[in-house]
Amino acid sequence: MQEYSQDLLFSADARVKTSTHGWRAELLQKLVRFECPVPKTLSLSFSTVEKIATDPEFCVASIIQCFDDKVLFCVRPSPENAAWGGPNAILGVGMTEAKYDRLKRECGVKVASRLFLRSIQSLASAVEGVDFDFMGLLEATDGVSEALKIFEDETTKPFPLDPSEQLVTIVRSMARAWNGTSARILREAKGAPEDAHLGLLIQEMIVGAESMMSGSGTIQLVDSDTGQRQVAVQYASEYEGEANRGLGVRSLTVSEDRERLLVDEISSESFSQLMSYAAVVRKELGEEIQLQFKLKDGEPYIIDGTRAPRSGRASVQIAVRLVEDGIITEKEAVMRVEPASLNELMHRQVAPSAVRDIICQGIGASPGAAVGRIVFTSAQAQMSAAREEACILVRRETSPDDIRGMHSAAAVLTERGGLTSHAAVIARGLGLPCIVGASSLEFCISEEKIITKDGREFRAGDVITIDGASGQVLAGESKMLEASADDAFTILMTWADSFRDIGIRANADTPDDAKTARKFNAQGIGLCRTEYMFFDPGRLTVMREMIFADTSNGRAEVLARLLPMQRDDFVQLFQIMQGSPVCIRLFDPPLHEFLPSSFSEQRELAQALEIPIDDVIQRVSELTEYNPMLGLRGVRLGVTIPEIYEMQARAIFEAALEVGHNGDFVIPEIMLPLVSAQREVELIKERVDAVYDAVQREQEQNFQYRLGVMVETPRAALRAGEIACLVEFLSFGTNDLTQMTYGLSRDDAGRFMSDYVQQGVFSEDPFRMLDRDGVGELLNLGAQRGRSAHPDITLSICGEHGGDPESIAFCRDGGFDYVSCSPFRVPLARLSAAQLAISQEREQLG
Amino acid sequence: MQEYSQDLLFSADARVKTSTHGWRAELLQKLVRFECPVPKTLSLSFSTVEKIATDPEFCVASIIQCFDDKVLFCVRPSPENAAWGGPNAILGVGMTEAKYDRLKRECGVKVASRLFLRSIQSLASAVEGVDFDFMGLLEATDGVSEALKIFEDETTKPFPLDPSEQLVTIVRSMARAWNGTSARILREAKGAPEDAHLGLLIQEMIVGAESMMSGSGTIQLVDSDTGQRQVAVQYASEYEGEANRGLGVRSLTVSEDRERLLVDEISSESFSQLMSYAAVVRKELGEEIQLQFKLKDGEPYIIDGTRAPRSGRASVQIAVRLVEDGIITEKEAVMRVEPASLNELMHRQVAPSAVRDIICQGIGASPGAAVGRIVFTSAQAQMSAAREEACILVRRETSPDDIRGMHSAAAVLTERGGLTSHAAVIARGLGLPCIVGASSLEFCISEEKIITKDGREFRAGDVITIDGASGQVLAGESKMLEASADDAFTILMTWADSFRDIGIRANADTPDDAKTARKFNAQGIGLCRTEYMFFDPGRLTVMREMIFADTSNGRAEVLARLLPMQRDDFVQLFQIMQGSPVCIRLFDPPLHEFLPSSFSEQRELAQALEIPIDDVIQRVSELTEYNPMLGLRGVRLGVTIPEIYEMQARAIFEAALEVGHNGDFVIPEIMLPLVSAQREVELIKERVDAVYDAVQREQEQNFQYRLGVMVETPRAALRAGEIACLVEFLSFGTNDLTQMTYGLSRDDAGRFMSDYVQQGVFSEDPFRMLDRDGVGELLNLGAQRGRSAHPDITLSICGEHGGDPESIAFCRDGGFDYVSCSPFRVPLARLSAAQLAISQEREQLG
């Protein structure tokens, strides 16, 4: 053993620094440093690999010479980054007639034949692309001769019995595979640069006599699913562990106290050695590592190692435990967890072990999984909820009318739409699993059934499972893994918050949203949309009456009936948020969303309001818009029908005072949507201030409030300077700002977005990932102008982008005060923000 | 006479320069310099007026002293600018008992009484607001005493018989009237600054004996309607001409040779004197002036003068004739004509003398007037056109389906929409009179009638008149004034072109548009929309077939049938434009505009295409968009259904070659709409270049083309640098850019735009006047980035704003190469552009 650890791992190009040998070479080098027994290994740097690929003479002879005393060797890829993949390892290299003879003598004919056949198989399959099962000749009388003949027949050239020739062929083949288009695309998708390199390792093969005490396996000190301490060993008593994995593999987990010897194959002594190597490696590398080992007649060798695989939940657990064990710092722990992996802790999931009867692959638009009975209308969803029966709301697409149905459902499935459709956005906000764009199913809403491509029908009441992470719709009830935010999660988030330097708020419309926001420690509500408060059936009627009122007084009278309800809405929110800021966006949607579109509903409305049906039809037609997104909504309604905002302002102020009396001091924030001109803000400010004065007078009490603008038109961003003079905060609504900057409706983009991303027109759906070039420039312009006109102004973004790590980075760079995102993305955002702060600090330190 | 011209017109505040006395004072001063006989006049500067208004002692005594030797005087306003109005003149000031006695002695009791009563009437009406007819007491026995008594009764104070008191009262009253809210708003609407000033003139009244040889009148040397040379005199043989105008006024026009004496009232000698004064003034002031004169016992005095009133047509004529007479320069002539006044020359109008039976006041959306029979559908309009019968297309609103109907109509009337509605924009493009927003009429389209507020019904076939300038709908056939571009117009435009330094092109879709563009000397077509080419019934069916084709080949096959038609379209345009550039925007509208919305039409389509009706309904529903403006249209269609653009490119190239063979060398320009990302341009450029290569190969001939981008999304403006690298030109589509920058659909803005302008949210409809602050910044950013990335790039704007003088100024400042506007606005744009160049030159010269 000792002989190897001394002369292994030298570079064929000693002047090149280690990092040009790839991650696997680095890892092996470290293992040697920690005195793990590693077989003789030679590392070829990136440039050496390239030189050999073009010049077969280059240093190959000396490499072969290094391994002259060894039986055989293998060639393993050592990519720059483990995640970037690479060609498969090729085993059994270096076979010659002489070595074959020696093997036959030393290990017996069977072992020798098997090794030779494996050498032929490796070269034939991986390099020459020959599809033949050479291993099947193992039982033949003269299998090796037959194999060599077949190799020659298939490739029209004899099997190279010269190790140099084998090596050159393999290096060239691996270099070619690395540079192939599909490999390149795959690794670029994982973030590799265009010129990512491949190093290679040449490693002695450990060949023991054919016994139970020889074989290969892996060992790690952690449970990959839970992250709990647990020794997990997989072992196969075979010659070539890696290539043979799965055949006769014995898998064992050992509790940490391991009172007894567990398997016959591994001696107590070997096991102790492996355990001690693993413990050293964990401590020295500061990471849970899965080691690959070989046993040669009971003697262990460590031939490779990788970062132990782990679920999202496990990654949090591992990071926290490494800190507790004094191995890594809190900062390092925060950096170790991929933010997206937190999703697992916050949502139920289909159990990894569940059998999946997939009936449709749609777009997973909101993570989490749910089981429930199919319902086709929001009313049915509400009835199911009343019966406390989980249901899946199935719609062609959803509209604001479906909000209450969505609140009642366990998950949502729609035929149409993309990641930014109404269903997707609202579901993410509610933390509701959601699949959209399930266009391979036929949606027969009126007949209350969905039909799969192969004709299976699912009707109302049938049970299905929605896996919002993968986008799969599964038949029946699948086995579930429950969500739970464990202690490790809480500890990690506390550390993250201590390093974070940008605020994180949540977008929350309802008390439930607010509770979630609070649970995930959001620093307030960054966007409370008030529309949903008007869609409650009782209120909807009042809203409709308001729409049909002819005069300002008439409208004010009708709205006065909504005032107590709105006030209660805000009282609830303020109470839940316990004094954290709550930013309330005043009424935004076009009024026609409140009017019924079907004739029967219009007739009902006419009867309810006691007006002629023609009046209803005419009003609906008058209010219909060509482009509702660009129509009479937001602050435009506030200017033209000021009674709505006046009522809302009063409700907010009265609620703030009421909650204040009970001890939770609140400074409400009022935000104006869809502003495009300074004067709009001026007009509304006057009116809101008047209500503010009136409420203070009436209640004989002073309080504060903050007025702000939602910057969501390009013009508001450009004119942010003059707008900023009038307000306390600017919050950039990146959803609408993206729509207007691109001239692209997110509701309509679904029809060509995938085409566009595939053709590289957009590198990513700009509603999913913030467009730094266009929208980003407007954000920066707006922020700069706003700040220079009003240095104390609070800047933030709200909207779907708020929870995206890229957007958070953008906002930190731009000096924004906070981002606001869906409540279920708050932990992810907190972690991302902390990682950004730590990364920057590290960069600054060099 | 001589005595007056020497001591008149001195300032009460000699240190103040003349321009602080107002335009009327300046004019009088000039008349004196040209030796016109002007009554003794004293000018009070702005500051003097203000001082008197606050301090009644200030210099009033000395003013009165100046006029001590005169019978009476009048007080006239002298505003800074003639157009800004002011209070009415007050006559007969300075009456005392002594003067009354003297008048009775010198002129007789009747004259004296009339003058006294007029003094009382003036002060009572204009200053005290007493509504009583004092002149009615003229025939009473002791009318003056009675009048004095009534004055005291009504005002509770005696009539001031002290001239100083009278003067102070009048000055104060005039100052108050000038500063009143309504006067201020009125003059601000005419472009006055907030602190516009008022000077006053105190002028001796010319009082002759009551004879035919005393009286007052006006004289000018030009016909106000036509601008032709013609001496026009109005004369009333009365004492106080101005106040009495219209009673017994004689109006005469004299041909220039004036061989004979025309009226008894004016002696040949007096007439010659007046004519010579008028001629001198015209020459010396370089302008046609209307002089106000008095005859005192046959002796003429010039008491005032104004710029002679003139129609648009006359203003052109006058300017050109002043040049021909060597009085002003060509540059000055170009500056003299208000660009908007050219509209009159280019459109028929309701004759000023016509009787107007107004049935509705709508929004005049496209100038010109037309008479025709009402039709309610585009089909009826086309039938009318076939019968060569003028018709007015009456629609609730128009859509692209109505294009052919609009082509066939004499005018368009819609219930809905504003200045930027479909009807308005298309009508302006076609030069078709158009009234939109006629909401006081009830439109019963299905019953084929419109009903006025007072219940009058107009049915299909009834004749109405549309006055697109005033927005008035008139019952019956009104008398018309025909449009004609006369020689003077042509001369003036030639001069304008010689000074102009920015190009003017026209937006032209059809051969008719192109002919108009050519007629008005547009320097090419800046925007040729190709949509209309697909709405011809024959082609519409093919388009629909294309929409239902499933495969790329299927679409290409269908589109191949459209190719020869499109090629012919372009051949015609190229031929008409005779080698001037033609910029063709590729297909832009969403496909659903081509599908029928009613069930019966959908059924017809299903039969025609031999597919199930359900397929048609489903396709219509699939293609329906929430926000068509922001949906799948423009270059997005080009990227996702490339066959359309390929067909269009081929049609354009083949047409260019065909026309080229016949001698008109054409470099076609191809413009891509709705670009928001560089890659869109890259993808289309590849495809268009491929077609270009193919056509060159097939026809064995080389030619050139220019590719460009219509910058109409904010993102395209921001990313203009990278886009510019790929193209030859950028044309800013300010309509859509305004929509997206504001987040405001012009089709939907009508519902609140007037509210917004009234409340000062927008200073003007941004679709009418370019928003310099927001949209303008994007234009400048885009232009700068485009130019710095590609210095030779051609920059322009197209869209409704192109013809607006403000926008032209903006584009000149930004270094744009040309603007493109509706063909009927081309002359206006040419003139505006010339004026801007001349103004800038003048400013630079100091």
Side-chain angles (χ1 to χ4, degrees), chain B residues 343-503:
Chain B
N343 277 332
E344 261 181 45
L345 283 91
M346 274 167 293
H347 302 284
R348 290 177 92 198
Q349 293 183 280
V350 175
S353 59
V355 179
R356 289 175 172 250
D357 176 5
I358 302 167
I359 59 176
C360 169
Q361 176 72 56
I363 301 167
S366 174
V371 174
R373 294 186 185 282
I374 295 174
V375 297
F376 288 96
T377 66
S378 288
Q380 288 172 0
Q382 287 175 261
M383 281 187 288
S384 286
R387 289 194 303 270
E388 297 193 352
E389 197 176 86
C391 69
I392 311 292
L393 179 61
V394 176
R395 302 283 294 158
R396 202 174 286 284
E397 67 205 344
T398 64
S399 73
D401 285 339
D402 293 311
I403 296 257
R404 295 187 65 84
M406 293 179 75
H407 270 273
S408 306
V412 179
L413 170 64
T414 70
E415 178 188 17
R416 299 189 185 169
L419 281 169
T420 52
S421 63
H422 180 267
V425 172
I426 300 295
R428 281 198 291 276
L430 296 173
L432 211 57
C434 175
I435 296 176
V436 296
S439 51
S440 74
L441 288 174
E442 191 180 336
F443 281 61
C444 313
I445 302 290
S446 55
E447 295 162 54
E448 302 213 325
K449 63 182 178 186
I450 44 180
I451 309 175
T452 66
K453 276 232 157 141
D454 52 2
R456 291 167 72 188
E457 290 190 4
F458 292 83
R459 297 180 166 276
D462 289 351
V463 172
I464 57 173
T465 301
I466 296 293
D467 182 350
S470 69
Q472 288 173 348
V473 185
L474 311 174
E477 177 171 355
S478 304
K479 201 180 139 198
M480 289 285 166
L481 204 66
E482 292 303 319
S484 76
D486 53 22
D487 289 351
F489 168 83
T490 309
I491 292 168
L492 187 81
M493 294 313 293
T494 311
W495 294 339
D497 286 348
S498 71
F499 303 128
R500 180 160 58 82
D501 56 7
I502 183 171

Side-chain angles (χ1 to χ4, degrees), chain A residues 396-398 415-416 591-592 618 621-633 635-637 639-640 674-680 683 687 713-716 718-719 722 739-749 751-752 755-756 759-762 771 773-775 777-778 781 785, chain B residues 396-398 415-416 591-592 618 621-633 635-637 639-640 674-680 683 687 713-716 718-719 722 739-749 751-752 755-756 759-762 771 773-775 777-778 781 785:
Chain A
R396 201 173 286 283
E397 66 206 345
T398 64
E415 178 188 18
R416 298 188 187 171
L591 291 181
H592 54 73
Q618 202 196 330
S621 131
E622 279 170 13
L623 290 181
T624 300
E625 295 186 306
Y626 297 97
N627 297 288
M629 169 63 48
L630 309 176
L632 180 48
R633 64 181 192 93
V635 75
R636 295 166 192 166
L637 277 174
V639 170
T640 52
L674 207 70
V675 165
S676 64
Q678 185 200 32
R679 177 83 180 136
E680 290 171 321
L683 287 170
R687 288 188 176 262
T713 67
R715 197 172 189 278
L718 294 170
R719 307 306 295 168
E722 58 187 23
Q739 298 197 81
M740 291 168 192
T741 305
Y742 276 89
L744 180 58
S745 155
R746 61 186 165 138
D747 293 319
D748 300 310
R751 281 181 38 233
F752 58 93
D755 256 18
Y756 256 49
Q759 297 194 49
V761 181
F762 300 157
D771 160 44
D773 293 341
V775 179
E777 179 172 9
L778 286 176
L781 271 178
R785 291 177 185 185
Chain B
R396 202 174 286 284
E397 67 205 344
T398 64
E415 178 188 17
R416 299 189 185 169
L591 291 181
H592 53 74
Q618 200 197 330
S621 129
E622 280 171 11
L623 290 181
T624 300
E625 295 185 305
Y626 298 96
N627 297 289
M629 169 64 50
L630 310 176
L632 180 48
R633 64 179 192 92
V635 73
R636 293 164 193 167
L637 277 174
V639 169
T640 51
L674 205 68
V675 165
S676 64
Q678 185 200 34
R679 177 82 179 136
E680 291 170 320
L683 286 170
R687 287 187 178 265
T713 66
R715 195 170 191 281
L718 293 170
R719 307 306 295 167
E722 59 187 24
Q739 299 197 79
M740 290 167 193
T741 305
Y742 276 89
L744 180 57
S745 155
R746 59 181 168 142
D747 293 319
D748 300 311
R751 280 177 43 227
F752 58 93
D755 256 19
Y756 256 48
Q759 298 196 50
V761 182
F762 301 156
D771 158 46
D773 292 342
V775 179
E777 179 172 9
L778 287 176
L781 269 179
R785 291 176 185 185

Side-chain angles (χ1 to χ4, degrees), chain A residues 555-766:
Chain A
R555 284 192 294 266
E557 272 170 36
V558 178
L559 284 164
R561 305 216 305 270
L562 284 178
L563 175 66
M565 309 183 206
Q566 276 263 287
R567 191 174 48 224
D568 286 353
D569 293 330
F570 296 129
V571 164
Q572 279 192 63
L573 285 178
F574 293 154
Q575 280 170 342
I576 294 165
M577 295 311 292
Q578 298 172 9
S580 295
V582 176
C583 178
I584 297 161
R585 181 177 77 179
L586 297 186
F587 192 83
D588 183 55
L591 291 181
H592 54 73
E593 286 194 4
F594 293 88
L595 293 182
S597 52
S598 77
F599 182 75
S600 62
E601 284 176 296
Q602 288 171 357
R603 195 173 45 204
E604 277 173 38
L605 179 57
Q607 283 164 356
L609 298 180
E610 296 177 354
I611 55 176
I613 171 81
D614 283 352
D615 287 8
V616 172
I617 292 171
Q618 202 196 330
R619 197 92 183 93
V620 169
S621 131
E622 279 170 13
L623 290 181
T624 300
E625 295 186 306
Y626 297 97
N627 297 288
M629 169 63 48
L630 309 176
L632 180 48
R633 64 181 192 93
V635 75
R636 295 166 192 166
L637 277 174
V639 170
T640 52
I641 309 183
E643 298 82 13
I644 305 177
Y645 280 11
E646 285 172 343
M647 182 278 284
Q648 289 197 300
R650 175 169 282 272
I652 291 165
F653 295 144
E654 292 182 355
L657 281 176
E658 187 175 329
V659 174
H661 292 162
N662 300 331
D664 282 330
F665 180 68
V666 175
I667 300 179
E669 298 179 346
I670 292 184
M671 180 157 71
L672 309 180
L674 207 70
V675 165
S676 64
Q678 185 200 32
R679 177 83 180 136
E680 290 171 321
V681 184
E682 233 167 49
L683 287 170
I684 302 295
K685 185 178 162 71
E686 270 169 33
R687 288 188 176 262
V688 172
D689 278 344
V691 174
Y692 171 66
D693 291 341
V695 172
Q696 289 196 125
R697 253 192 332 272
E698 288 159 16
Q699 308 229 355
E700 293 178 355
Q701 206 170 350
N702 292 334
F703 63 98
Q704 289 181 288
Y705 89 99
R706 287 156 53 85
L707 186 73
V709 158
M710 185 150 173
V711 177
E712 45 187 344
T713 67
R715 197 172 189 278
L718 294 170
R719 307 306 295 168
E722 58 187 23
I723 290 170
C725 299
L726 297 174
V727 296
E728 304 300 315
F729 63 90
L730 297 178
S731 187
F732 292 77
T734 52
N735 290 1
D736 274 13
L737 193 59
T738 300
Q739 298 197 81
M740 291 168 192
T741 305
Y742 276 89
L744 180 58
S745 155
R746 61 186 165 138
D747 293 319
D748 300 310
R751 281 181 38 233
F752 58 93
M753 187 57 82
S754 60
D755 256 18
Y756 256 49
V757 174
Q758 275 160 25
Q759 297 194 49
V761 181
F762 300 157
S763 58
E764 178 49 285
D765 180 345

